[in-house]
Amino acid sequence: FRAKSLTGTCETTLRAIADGADQMAFDAVGFRLGKIRVDGRPAKFDYDKKKLTVRFPRAARAGQRAVVSIEYKVVRPPLGLHFIGPDRG
């Protein structure tokens, strides 16, 4: 808690609503990335320190599901996550 850091794995299950989806973007400001996987296999991705774009091995068809798994660590995140200590009472 004092280090104001979080390490975890985000697993997101997606279902394509139309043919042709070939990537998914995630907000990931200041993350240190570990393994990125789609359906358990290593995935190609782009990361600009703000947005993580995970590329699927092939374009999805409508109704097809995919599980994206992202290992990450964030230290003193500038956005989204706030660490609030106890009151000094």
Side-chain angles (χ1 to χ4, degrees):
F1 190 82
R2 287 183 179 199
K4 296 185 179 180
S5 68
L6 177 70
T7 300
T9 301
C10 172
E11 189 171 283
T12 304
T13 301
L14 307 167
R15 185 177 58 85
I17 59 173
D19 289 342
D22 62 358
Q23 63 185 14
M24 179 67 190
F26 297 86
D27 289 332
V29 176
F31 281 24
R32 297 178 191 169
L33 297 172
K35 294 177 183 174
I36 311 293
R37 298 182 176 275
V38 174
D39 293 329
R41 295 191 171 103
K44 293 181 180 181
F45 62 92
D46 297 303
Y47 181 54
D48 66 4
K49 303 293 183 198
K50 294 179 183 176
K51 181 174 72 172
L52 169 66
T53 302
V54 179
R55 289 185 260 137
F56 303 142
R58 66 192 73 62
R61 294 182 183 164
Q64 184 177 354
R65 291 183 184 263
V67 177
V68 177
S69 178
I70 302 164
E71 293 180 4
Y72 67 94
K73 180 175 183 174
V74 62
V75 178
R76 299 187 184 276
L79 298 169
L81 182 65
H82 303 278
F83 292 88
I84 300 172
D87 292 336
R88 296 181 186 206

